[in-house]
Amino acid sequence: MRPSLPAVLTLALLAATSATANKVFVSNERSNTVTVIDSDTWEVIGEFDAGNRPRGITMAPDGSRLYVCASDDDLVRVFDPGTYEELYSLPSGPDPELFVLHPSGNPLYIANEDDNLVTVVDTETHKVIAEVPVGVEPEGMAISPDGLTIINTSETTNMAHFINDQTFKIEHNVLVDQRPRYAVFSPDSSRLYVSAEIGGTVSVIDLTGPEPKLIGKISFEIPGVLPEWIQPVGMQMTSDGRNLFVALGPANRVARIDPESNEVTDYMIVGQRVWQLDLTPDERFLITTNGNSNDVTVIDVDKLKPIRSIQVGQQPWGVVVAPD
Amino acid sequence: MSLRSRAGALAIAVAMAAASSGQAIEIRTAVLRVDEPAGTLPISRLDLPPDDLGFAGAQLGQEDNQTTGVFLGQDFLLETRNVAPDAAVDAAQALIEAGYDKLVVLAPRDTLLAVADAAGDKALILDALAPDDDLRSGACRANTLHVAPSRAMRTDALIQYLVWKQWPRILLVYGSHPEDSALAAAYRHSADKFRARIVDEREFEDTGGARRTDTGFAQVQRQIPTFTQNVRTYDVTVAADEAGVFAAYLPFRTWDPRPVAGSAGLEPVTWHPAHEAWGATQFQNRFEAMAHRPMREEDYQAWLALRVIGEAATRTGSADPSALRAYALGSDFSVGGFKGEKLSFRDWNGQLRQPILLTDGHVTVSVSPQEGFLHQRSALDTLGLDKPESACAAFNGD
């Protein structure tokens, strides 16, 4: 074990970096709260009520609003990230689970798992703009960096639906493996990655041609871990396009994939039933929610090593880090 | 349906088909449920069968398939029939002639075999009910896939849990009906397989009593303790009562204070309405919104059979029963069933691999296969007939 830094040096580091501390917000599905963590000290600095069964969590690009899917309340609750005060709620359709915000901050695209719909909500007028019928049990949501294409994945239909941001019509459907959970674009928009929880794979879809095309599937193999425990869920990609991180659920590991080769290079042990991920704005740290051990793990992105675990509420589900 | 509304529906269907480039493939599936003449009522009125038993699950599967089909130019059609045992073969043949050559059958062994033999290579049969192990062995049929688990899969699932729990000494209580004997034999086999011990056995003879006349709780309270008296030291009572005659009377009434499992107490099931893990909550919600009742095992099995057809049709783009069968038995096939892992078919006997839930009727207590029970192919193959044990020669799995 490496000796810890002298206390004085640690303090000096703290003083030097505290200006860039970010708040990390974690939704706790079972305790119905959001836990707030300081990304500098990695201490819990707050916890507040967030409605019934909070799952999906995201923030406005300017950091002025925190959005939480309160799944059992059938709405999206909106909080002030400074005071944790609930400001208002947005209509979401039934059982909102995951959502994605347009890069401009408006609108919000919400997957309604019970109703086979994606609901589009204007975050300023608080009105529903459109409801898009999709496959059975919609879950994963993503938006292309240019904001023109919205992706929804449907868990029982096993598709990624490509929705036009202007017409709200589905333009393409790509079949992927069983129970697709999450989708993420590469920063240059050339690829879409879709994780399949039961299929145990990440589908790689090429977006450079006239139609999206499935070009490969990434699979996982971990010595000593039963294949059925490897359930890919949340994903994050660094902005240089060089790291794709995949949470593997009950395998209790996060995989790092080299997007050049589509090969897994590292498995990092985290807490139990790792679910969603987010990066700090400087991309030095990756934070994972671990639903069964009620904690989050902080991974050092350069070293690809877990460095901290922090106790949060019951059954942490989603995580978002405030922008600088 | 009146002639006029049927014509109207047809016109709309034609218009829709034309709109979607006229290339829509129709995938026609029928559910055939064979209803035995009503026997004695179940011991608990909670177990009274609803009229739409199985059909409601199939309807949900149909809707799930159709939602996917809309995106792919596939049109899924579903018909349902409930018939008496002696009308099953005629009903199946009429359905096949009408193009419904994917048949989900909810029928006991002999009727299932008669339907399968009458269908021959003209249809794909999906067994969503019959648990008999010989249907997965010497009496297997090439055209029949088993979505329902076998008796051995259920008994292996329970015995694995008892062994894991270190309750290996079993009192086996079985009924006097042939299906009870078959279930008792499956428990004996499972106990041997996983090194549990049946220390004593009792047969509970069905004397034809009806629950509302002669077996009030006062009688039961006196009879069950003496029936389970003087048993060698044991850990748990396992009841084999597929006919549903007595097992519900056992819990809290045995002479020794012992838990009950099997046909009452801790039961091995394919589905339970309290099951919530692995996204099951949303599935339960969808079913209950549609059917206005909790989901039964028969509904789950019929839903799963429809999803097997849907998944094979979606991936192959075909409606041909032999193409769907070949794909379902291949290594690329898998289907999700809200059990936390993908389900696939055993290519040596057409049995769907699946975890089995263990429930006390109120919550999911555990899910088998249990930790530590290993298999070189898949832990799911620790449940039921493994390849060397199956005498099925109608499949050519290697």
Side-chain angles (χ1 to χ4, degrees), chain A residues 202-225:
Chain A
V202 171
S203 290
V204 185
I205 298 167
D206 180 83
L207 306 176
T208 56
E211 296 217 336
K213 187 162 180 261
L214 183 69
I215 55 168
K217 285 176 186 170
I218 302 165
S219 50
F220 305 87
E221 201 172 319
I222 308 170
V225 175

Side-chain angles (χ1 to χ4, degrees), chain A residues 53 55 95 113-114 116 133-137 156-159 161 170 173 175-179 198-199 228-229 231, chain B residues 63-64 67-68 71-72 278-279 281-283 285-286 303 307 311 314-315 334-336 338 340-342 371 374 379:
Chain A
R53 205 171 177 212
R55 293 195 279 179
D95 199 20
E113 194 167 10
D114 276 2
N116 305 344
V134 292
V136 182
E137 290 184 51
T156 293
T157 295
N158 303 320
M159 279 180 181
H161 306 288
I170 293 178
N173 299 290
L175 272 172
V176 294
D177 280 348
Q178 297 290 319
R179 232 174 145 66
I198 296 295
E228 54 267 27
W229 290 356
Q231 300 180 355
Chain B
E63 289 178 15
D64 288 356
T67 305
T68 305
F71 299 117
L72 296 170
W278 304 304
T281 312
Q282 284 78 28
F283 180 54
N285 286 343
R286 279 193 286 128
W303 171 84
R307 286 292 301 128
E311 193 57 30
T314 297
R315 303 281 169 175
S334 70
V335 65
F338 303 95
E341 57 187 297
K342 53 190 168 189
E371 207 177 335
L374 303 176

Side-chain angles (χ1 to χ4, degrees), chain A residues 1 8 15 40 55 57 75 78 82 99 117 131 147-148 166 245 248 266 272 291 313 318:
Chain A
M1 194 175 163
V8 176
D40 210 18
R55 293 195 279 179
I57 186 165
L75 46 80
V78 186
F99 49 17
L117 289 176
E131 289 181 337
L148 296 179
Q166 298 301 310
F245 294 104
L248 296 178
D266 294 84
Q272 291 173 24

